[in-house]
Amino acid sequence: MKKLIIIALLFSMNSFAQIILEKADGSKITIDQASFDNSAEKVTYKVGGKTEKLKFKELKSVISPHKEGSKVPLANYTWMYFPNAKKFKGMYIKTQTSDKLLGFIHYTTETGSSTTSVNGSTFFNGSSEFEHVHLTVFDKQGAILEDTDLRSGHQSHNVEERAAAIEMIKRYFSDCSNFIKDFTSFISAESDPKNLRVVEYFMQRIKVNVNGTDYPMEPHNLINCN
């Protein structure tokens, strides 16, 4: 139930923009709101106050949304159906070629406080927050080619995972010159021996003014390969 509420809030927050529902047969429907029920494998959506339902297998994606007339995507968030997993997964799409796409999500986790004993004395350690970015490379049919989870920690295995992710991105999208230029210029903009910039790249934030109000939004713009 919590997952459904989060999704509904995401859509309602961006209610001034259009949400596009793309069906498996290629047709598209402009909708007002949508929520997903993974257990029942269905999406419930509203159009003009009327509620409709479709099975996951009848859908290809749900794209939510952009502010009309703006060059800045406010969400660029896509729910893709992955046949092998038999479920929808939501993610931002960063770039795509003729046969594959790079999607990602990011989230924050917090470790609980811990204690350290030194020479009979106990010290309380504060909790720590870690930023995560989950990258997914998949084809146009929804088959996952490779995915990985990155974390902002300084442990050696986290550093190595981030380095491997950089190589993965370059390997799959080396022919996408606009994206590779944007990506490499960001991660090499300053000294970064621990490869932390690759996490920061997918977590950039900007402010977008909508009807006189500033919203902190991630610039999850889709970078075309042309």
Side-chain angles (χ1 to χ4, degrees):
M1 180 59 67
K2 183 179 179 181
K3 189 170 187 178
L4 290 175
I5 293 172
I6 291 172
I7 293 168
L9 286 174
L10 168 69
F11 287 128
S12 62
M13 182 177 68
N14 295 285
S15 59
F16 48 81
Q18 292 183 327
I19 303 167
I20 306 299
L21 186 152
E22 183 181 10
K23 297 179 70 175
D25 62 9
S27 61
K28 296 181 180 180
I29 307 171
T30 300
I31 64 176
D32 301 319
Q33 192 182 60
S35 61
F36 295 78
D37 184 346
N38 278 328
S39 61
E41 295 188 356
K42 67 181 180 182
V43 57
T44 301
Y45 63 95
K46 290 184 178 181
V47 180
K50 186 179 180 181
T51 300
E52 302 282 355
K53 295 181 181 180
L54 283 173
K55 286 286 187 180
F56 281 0
K57 63 183 180 182
E58 299 177 83
L59 296 172
K60 181 179 179 182
S61 68
V62 180
I63 305 171
S64 166
H66 289 69
K67 179 176 179 291
E68 242 179 272
S70 172
K71 294 182 179 180
V72 182
L74 297 183
N76 194 20
Y77 202 80
T78 297
W79 289 87
M80 282 289 300
Y81 183 62
F82 290 85
N84 291 342
K86 294 184 178 180
K87 64 179 180 180
F88 265 82
K89 290 185 179 181
M91 64 188 71
Y92 297 102
I93 307 299
K94 193 62 180 180
T95 193
Q96 61 180 336
T97 67
S98 60
D99 60 347
K100 57 185 173 294
L101 303 90
L102 176 62
F104 73 99
I105 60 171
H106 58 67
Y107 57 97
T108 303
T109 59
E110 183 175 343
T111 61
S113 58
S114 59
T115 60
T116 302
S117 296
V118 179
N119 297 327
S121 298
T122 300
F123 299 89
F124 288 89
N125 305 314
S127 59
S128 300
E129 285 191 347
F130 292 93
E131 304 297 342
H132 295 254
V133 172
H134 189 84
L135 301 176
T136 303
V137 180
F138 59 100
D139 65 19
K140 294 294 180 67
Q141 288 71 48
I144 296 176
L145 305 178
E146 191 169 347
D147 64 351
T148 186
D149 191 67
L150 312 179
R151 198 167 83 152
S152 60
H154 288 249
Q155 293 88 343
S156 59
H157 66 276
N158 290 330
V159 176
E160 293 167 0
E161 286 174 353
R162 293 192 292 266
I166 293 172
E167 295 308 311
M168 181 191 78
I169 290 170
K170 291 179 178 178
R171 182 171 69 255
Y172 280 103
F173 298 96
S174 60
D175 56 343
C176 188
S177 57
N178 285 347
F179 167 67
I180 290 297
K181 180 180 178 181
D182 186 74
F183 176 66
T184 55
S185 63
F186 184 93
I187 65 173
S188 62
E190 58 187 56
S191 177
D192 184 25
K194 294 187 180 294
N195 304 312
L196 288 166
R197 295 280 286 176
V198 64
V199 175
E200 295 170 10
Y201 177 76
F202 292 100
M203 296 191 66
Q204 301 172 70
R205 295 179 70 87
I206 58 174
K207 285 187 177 180
V208 178
N209 187 279
V210 180
N211 298 328
T213 302
D214 284 334
Y215 294 88
M217 295 288 184
E218 296 87 348
H220 296 319
N221 54 308
L222 175 67
I223 300 178
N224 293 317
C225 289
N226 298 331

